[in-house]
Amino acid sequence: MAKKSAIEKNNRRAKLVKKFAGKRARLKAIAKDESLSLEERFAARLKLAELPRNSAKVRLRNRCEVTGRPRGVYRKLKMSRIALRELGSQGRIPGLVKSSW
């Protein structure tokens, strides 16, 4: 079996998050609804625990769209600080002006 990259793993997780988002939201709403009985809320929590672990949004990692780097990623640009600097120096990012680097 070939070794899978962290980028591919994160992409698979993103697909699972998208697939189970509605179901997770419904189950969480039931689990938090205090007007329901304790048994119903507990049953919702059990069903939530049965869902794939990687379908939770918190398990996704922000990664650079250019390099796949997991750290120093600007959310707005979806780009790491290193890729941003490189493309900015080349003048390939509109509106980005070199200050002093």
Side-chain angles (χ1 to χ4, degrees):
M1 187 166 123
K3 186 174 186 278
K4 303 210 172 20
S5 76
I7 298 168
E8 291 171 3
K9 188 187 297 184
N10 205 48
N11 291 341
R12 283 196 312 275
R13 284 179 179 170
K15 285 180 189 172
L16 274 177
V17 167
K18 195 172 184 180
K19 180 179 175 183
F20 287 99
K23 191 171 187 178
R24 289 184 75 84
R26 283 191 300 278
L27 288 171
K28 280 186 173 188
I30 292 170
K32 290 180 182 179
D33 188 2
E34 300 212 3
S35 66
L36 297 173
S37 72
L38 196 60
E39 290 78 23
E40 288 175 306
R41 289 172 32 210
F42 187 68
R45 289 195 187 273
L46 288 177
K47 285 181 186 171
L48 194 59
E50 288 174 4
L51 293 179
R53 183 177 280 177
N54 284 334
S55 68
K57 195 169 193 300
V58 295
R59 291 180 65 94
L60 280 180
R61 180 83 190 189
N62 283 335
R63 287 188 170 270
C64 175
E65 294 283 316
V66 179
T67 62
R69 190 173 198 276
R71 304 200 179 198
V73 177
Y74 291 94
R75 289 181 187 160
K76 196 170 186 179
L77 300 168
K78 295 185 179 179
M79 197 180 303
S80 73
R81 61 186 178 81
I82 297 169
L84 179 71
R85 182 177 173 153
E86 186 69 32
L87 294 175
S89 295
Q90 297 169 3
R92 296 178 61 197
I93 301 176
L96 187 72
V97 179
K98 180 180 180 231
S99 179
S100 67
W101 60 31

